Amino acid sequence: MPDTIPQQPGSEGSMSRGGRLASLMMSVIPDVRRVLWRFPLPAAIATAFAIYLLLEGYKSALLPADLRLRLPPIATSGFLVTLAAALLGESRGRSQGWRLVAGLAGLALVACLIAFSNALDLSPAVLMLALLLLATLAAHLAPATERAAYWLFNHHLAIAAITALAGAVLFAGGVSLILESLRYLFGVYIPHWWYEKLWITALVLIAPLTFLDLIPQSFDQRVTEGPQTEFTSQAVAILVRFILVPLLLVYAAILHAYAAKIAFDWALPKGRVGWIVSSYGAVATVTALLAFPTRQSGGALVSTFWRLWPWLLPVPAALLFIAVTIRIREYGLTEARYLLVLAGVWLLLLMATQGLRRPRDIRLIMGTLAALLLFATAGPWGMLGWSTRHQASELVARLTTAGLVKNGKIVIAPKATATVLPSDRRRIAGTLRYLAQRDRLALLQPLFAGVADDPFATRSNPSQQKERRLRRGAVLWYEHIDSDDKLASAISARLGLGTSLATTPYQRLRYLRTNTPTTIAVDKPSLLLGPAHIYVPRGQRATPPRSATIILPNGRLIASLEAGVLTVRHEPSGRSARFQLASSAALRERLEASGVVLKPADPRRQPLVLTRSDGDLDVILHLITASALDDVGPILELSQIGFWLQLPR
């Protein structure tokens, strides 16, 4: 394959002004033909996903909600796995057909994994990180690969990624600035969705294609070991020699001194030591990779660090294991603690592969991390599966100790009041919340099988009980599933611990949104004023009421929200109207239905029309947005509203 696409016939001297302009434009955008030849599948995935976002496919009712939720991680994982297949095939001299087949096989595999993520206990974010590391290793998996070639290729790969992202941000930011200048200076109306489409195009299409275009075509070019003369390598060498290595050696001394203090006092390390150690290990590893070309020529401090850095990890790793073991014993295993354990194992593997093995193979640094992340991606041994099962088993053990479970079954009478220590009540509540938020309450179902008042009996089809909401915005990266609070409360009540135990500490928002065009019918000449918005930050509901002002030809309207009551006052006449939003049954009903994905024609998308509860100002409220804490009850705790006001002429 040629390094460059052949040029069209003709000399530069005979090129017209239009041709020179076209050539200039082509020089600042990715060479699409070369990208499509080298990386057809990654380019196709990036293009298709960008088109999907530009056409707002994530809002379409034609696609199942479950598919819309899973498309972003499938697209990201597919881009990475097809890129890895292309780099592997190209480095091994495989044909284009082999690369296409390998890429399609990888794409089908990750699509199936994410499609069945619930059944497989899959963590898409961990999978994507593992695939990213594999993409950096794919071109240098052969045993005879030179370490210096692997280093230089990934150095160029990192520069390509940074350049592509910076270029996309500069492009979108520059065009946005031009549009804002036109709006401000000339009063040109710029629809807000132009900016959304612009940034989608820049970040989801231009950036990936630019990155693919900048990936080096040579896999065996080696970095020059010794003093660096190339600009970026020289900058990295300076950063390593004068900043990273000295700071890391000082921090390593602090951690070892703290370990000595722990041993001398025979005390336990503090709870956050695990995160401190894992961050230290990650920075130390990255510094060692950056120091590779100048490990012998960077001065005494750099060479000393290169020789010792694997042996600076075991003692901090021991601190990490002790700290995370204490936390697991007290609060159970969670995904975060699972990752901390994984980080400790990685640090020990670094000591073995980089300290004991000669010569050191720097590919094993990211290779071992990729293997550990793949191990943690899915399955009962994975991050999600192991953590949820451990939490469920800990809950059963705690209930057994409290006398609420015997021989694996609930033994208390329906709605009995159990005597449980406050600490146990908090732990049980936390575990129920944890399992509910991850849709894993079914792990507790065997406790209630065949007993009276089984809270799972009403869940004939649990998959239909989940309320899924698509996150607003252009890009949906993660699935958001409302935790099954009703089931968690029912389990808590069946245990005799109260109905609010499972949901009280954590409160989320429910939303009323009317984001489709509508027609407001009026029976007499009226003024329609708005839209106006009032926002009350969390934790500030006791402050003076927040207000919005609407200017009229004969004065102004001041709308203020306080304690769930919207007061609209006309100045200077002093007439006012009050709307009891906090006790509105209609608003409460709309908020309770907010978790359901509504079809475009659903009448609940229309503004909620409310008349005043008292006052002498003739005004009608058209509520278009509202949010309240999800403990929707007789009294709503509102945090923001958006509305129009209808006044008679």
Side-chain angles (χ1 to χ4, degrees):
M1 183 188 69
D3 290 345
T4 58
I5 301 296
Q7 301 295 322
Q8 298 294 329
S11 63
E12 184 178 355
S14 61
M15 186 180 297
S16 64
R17 291 184 179 180
R20 286 195 294 269
L21 179 59
S23 177
L24 177 63
M25 292 298 295
M26 289 298 296
S27 68
V28 297
I29 64 175
D31 191 328
V32 177
R33 289 178 297 173
R34 180 168 57 190
V35 169
L36 292 177
W37 175 254
R38 285 191 71 194
F39 307 108
L41 289 179
I45 291 172
T47 303
F49 189 53
I51 293 173
Y52 166 79
L53 294 177
L54 290 171
L55 296 179
E56 299 185 348
Y58 51 90
K59 296 180 180 178
S60 173
L62 299 177
L63 297 176
D66 201 59
L67 176 61
R68 285 177 282 165
L69 290 166
R70 283 173 168 76
L71 271 179
I74 288 176
T76 306
S77 301
F79 179 87
L80 294 172
V81 75
T82 53
L83 174 61
L87 291 175
L88 175 63
E90 190 174 344
S91 65
R92 299 292 183 87
R94 304 293 187 182
S95 66
Q96 183 70 282
W98 186 96
R99 284 178 262 169
L100 286 173
V101 171
L104 289 173
L107 176 61
L109 177 61
V110 298
C112 289
L113 289 174
I114 296 174
F116 298 99
S117 57
N118 287 339
L120 297 173
D121 288 329
L122 180 75
S123 302
V126 178
L127 174 63
M128 288 186 280
L129 182 56
L131 292 176
L132 175 63
L133 296 177
L134 288 178
T136 66
L137 290 162
H140 297 86
L141 291 177
T145 300
E146 286 285 345
R147 297 176 298 167
Y150 165 77
W151 191 96
L152 186 61
F153 178 81
N154 280 279
H155 176 69
H156 289 159
L157 204 65
I159 293 175
I162 295 172
T163 302
L165 180 60
V169 171
L170 288 174
F171 168 75
V175 176
S176 298
L177 181 61
I178 291 174
L179 295 177
E180 277 297 294
S181 299
L182 291 174
R183 182 193 64 80
Y184 179 76
L185 297 175
F186 299 99
V188 178
Y189 172 69
I190 308 294
H192 72 279
W193 56 265
W194 281 29
Y195 299 93
E196 180 179 299
K197 308 295 186 188
L198 171 65
W199 282 93
I200 290 175
T201 303
L203 296 177
V204 186
L205 183 60
I206 295 178
L209 294 182
T210 304
F211 169 69
L212 294 174
D213 186 38
L214 294 175
I215 293 177
Q217 298 185 15
S218 174
F219 303 110
D220 55 2
Q221 184 180 357
R222 302 173 56 185
V223 65
T224 303
E225 300 184 33
Q228 300 297 298
T229 56
E230 191 267 332
F231 175 74
T232 57
S233 299
Q234 189 177 27
V236 169
I238 293 174
L239 181 67
V240 167
R241 180 176 183 179
F242 295 106
I243 298 178
L244 291 177
V245 167
L247 292 178
L248 277 170
L249 290 176
V250 171
Y251 205 80
I254 292 174
L255 287 178
H256 283 76
Y258 179 68
K261 177 180 180 297
I262 292 295
F264 181 78
D265 295 340
W266 200 245
L268 295 174
K270 296 183 177 180
R272 297 184 181 272
V273 166
W275 293 109
I276 294 174
V277 170
S278 57
S279 301
Y280 158 79
V283 175
T285 303
V286 172
T287 302
L289 285 171
L290 295 177
F292 173 77
T294 57
R295 61 190 184 279
Q296 303 298 337
S297 62
L301 209 58
V302 174
S303 60
T304 301
F305 172 79
W306 174 258
R307 290 194 304 270
L308 295 180
W309 79 269
W311 305 107
L312 299 177
L313 301 176
V315 172
L319 288 176
L320 183 152
F321 282 122
I322 294 172
V324 75
T325 300
I326 295 171
R327 300 293 287 181
I328 292 174
R329 185 184 305 163
E330 292 178 350
Y331 303 105
L333 182 66
T334 62
E335 293 97 309
R337 292 167 198 141
Y338 183 101
L339 290 178
L340 283 177
V341 174
L342 210 68
V345 173
W346 182 50
L347 295 182
L348 295 181
L349 288 176
L350 290 179
M351 181 194 69
T353 59
Q354 305 300 309
L356 299 177
R357 191 178 186 275
R358 289 290 186 273
R360 293 177 183 173
D361 189 344
I362 58 175
R363 293 176 301 171
L364 294 176
I365 294 177
M366 294 304 170
T368 53
L369 180 57
L372 290 173
L373 290 174
L374 285 176
F375 175 83
T377 294
W381 56 83
M383 180 178 73
L384 181 60
W386 200 339
S387 299
T388 53
R389 285 168 175 80
H390 185 272
Q391 287 284 347
S393 63
E394 285 285 310
L395 176 60
V396 172
R398 195 169 292 272
L399 294 174
T400 303
T401 303
L404 305 180
V405 171
K406 186 176 182 180
N407 297 326
K409 297 291 183 181
I410 297 294
V411 298
I412 62 173
K415 301 180 181 179
T417 302
T419 303
V420 182
L421 294 175
S423 58
D424 288 334
R425 293 174 65 89
R426 288 192 296 270
R427 179 66 182 275
I428 292 170
T431 304
L432 287 176
R433 284 194 304 273
Y434 175 86
L435 295 175
Q437 290 165 359
R438 287 151 183 83
D439 194 33
R440 294 299 187 274
L441 285 172
L443 294 172
L444 304 178
Q445 192 166 359
L447 295 177
F448 302 92
V451 301
D453 293 343
D454 181 2
F456 291 88
T458 58
R459 290 187 101 208
S460 57
N461 188 349
S463 64
Q464 293 180 358
Q465 299 295 325
K466 292 183 294 183
E467 296 178 351
R468 299 178 184 270
R469 284 203 300 253
L470 297 181
R471 184 177 299 177
R472 289 174 63 85
V475 181
L476 172 67
W477 288 108
Y478 298 104
E479 180 177 359
H480 174 78
I481 303 177
D482 285 353
S483 62
D484 200 337
D485 291 337
K486 292 182 179 179
L487 179 59
S489 296
I491 293 174
S492 178
R494 182 62 182 81
L495 293 171
L497 303 177
T499 58
S500 62
L501 176 66
T503 57
T504 299
Y506 292 108
Q507 295 175 315
R508 298 177 305 281
L509 291 177
R510 288 190 181 271
Y511 299 95
L512 161 70
R513 293 192 182 97
T514 57
N515 52 0
T516 56
T518 185
T519 301
I520 298 176
V522 295
D523 56 359
K524 54 185 177 181
S526 302
L527 288 174
L528 197 61
L529 308 171
H533 296 271
I534 299 178
Y535 172 66
V536 181
R538 288 193 178 207
Q540 299 184 18
R541 291 180 173 81
T543 58
R546 300 300 175 109
S547 62
T549 302
I550 300 175
I551 304 299
L552 299 174
N554 61 340
R556 60 179 181 172
L557 289 176
I558 299 178
S560 58
L561 179 65
E562 182 178 18
V565 177
L566 179 68
T567 302
V568 180
R569 187 177 71 257
H570 178 260
E571 292 184 353
S573 69
R575 291 182 299 161
S576 64
R578 289 161 54 86
F579 298 87
Q580 300 286 348
L581 300 181
S583 58
S584 170
L587 178 56
R588 183 172 65 252
E589 179 182 355
R590 294 282 290 272
L591 290 172
E592 287 174 343
S594 65
V596 181
V597 178
L598 304 177
K599 296 180 180 179
D602 197 302
R604 285 174 293 182
R605 286 187 180 272
Q606 304 301 316
L608 181 61
V609 182
L610 299 173
T611 56
R612 67 184 188 273
S613 56
D614 58 80
D616 55 356
L617 180 63
D618 187 9
V619 61
I620 298 175
L621 177 69
H622 297 269
L623 201 62
I624 55 175
T625 63
S627 62
L629 291 177
D630 69 350
D631 53 344
V632 177
I635 302 299
L636 301 172
E637 188 173 356
L638 296 169
S639 60
Q640 70 86 22
I641 59 172
F643 55 92
W644 291 74
L645 296 176
Q646 182 181 343
L647 288 175
R649 286 187 178 273

